Structures are given as structure tokens and as C-alpha cells.
Amino acid sequence: MFVYRTITRYNDTGSIKKRHGGGHPTTATSSEMVRKVKARIERNPRQSTVKLAKSLNVSARSIGRILKNKLQLKPYKLQKVQDLTLAQKATRLERAKNLKHLHVGGMLENLVFSDEKIFTVQQDVKKQNDRVWLKCKSNDNLDQRIALRKHAPASVMLTSRFH
């Protein structure tokens, strides 16, 4: 069979090199689908691949291939950061300096530690599941990679103290 195919290929093309274009044609990763995915990701880079796949009626695996292979995007984890004002940052720096001076001067002998658990009403960010699709990490796209937390959201605190 190999010899037959080689002779047939030579008679048809004048060469024994393999013809290109064999195999199953691409459907889900076509250039039209790549354009659709690119437009949707540019509109909302935090959209999950599963939701994107359902809205475009393709498999999540195909969407993942398009994002990684065709568009060269990577899924980055969202970073939780405290939403501090400039005054709050200055206050924190001053308090840290005061604590350092007290420690150096030996004034912190009777220090009390406590275990605390705060339950807050705030946007729930699951670092394992929530991703944002971007080309690279940079300061230009920092606002897309962070999830802000407010200084004083509604919350309940439970404490236990020990010396």
C-alpha cells in the first residue's frame, strides 16, 4: 500500500513529498471563531471559559485552545488588595514606625496576642477559579488583575485572647 500511494502521489504531483491539508478540517478553532472569542475577551477578560463556550455553542476545551494557542493569552489569578486611601497609608506607616521604636526601646514586654476571625459582606474572590485572560502581567493591566476590598465593609468579628 505504501508503494502504491507513493507511485500515485508521484504521478499526480510529480513529487513523492507528502501532500498538505490532510486530516479533519478545523471547525471550532476556525478564524471566524477566533475573532468572536477575541472580541468577547477584549470586552470582558474575566469571563470564564465555560460560560464563553456555552454562549458560543462550542466546547470549553476548544475555547481554551483558542485562548492559549491562537490568541497567546494566559489565565492569571486575581490578586486581593486592600483599597486604601493616601491618608490610611500614611497612618499605617506612622503606626509601624512607632511600634518599631517601642520594640527597640524594650517597651513592649506585656504584649497580648489574639486570634480573630472576621466574617465580611464583600465580593467573594476565589483565587483558584477566578481568572483573567491577558497576554502578560504589567502595570498597564493591573486594574484588571486586582479585586479591591473596602476598608470597612459590613462584618462580624469573633476573638479569643491569650497572653
Side-chain angles (χ1 to χ4, degrees), residues 104-160:
V104 170
M107 306 280 290
L108 294 177
E109 292 178 7
N110 295 327
L111 189 61
V112 176
F113 293 93
S114 67
D115 283 342
E116 299 173 347
K117 174 61 182 164
I118 301 175
F119 296 93
T120 60
V121 180
Q122 205 169 60
Q123 174 189 1
D124 189 26
V125 177
K126 298 180 179 92
K127 289 182 79 174
Q128 197 63 26
N129 297 331
D130 294 341
R131 308 291 177 151
V132 59
W133 290 91
L134 301 167
K135 288 242 184 223
C136 64
K137 277 186 176 181
S138 70
N139 287 337
D140 297 335
N141 57 29
L142 183 64
D143 59 328
Q144 294 176 336
R145 293 187 293 113
I146 61 174
L148 294 177
R149 300 179 340 170
K150 294 294 177 190
H151 173 64
S155 62
V156 175
M157 181 187 299
L158 303 174
T159 64
S160 65

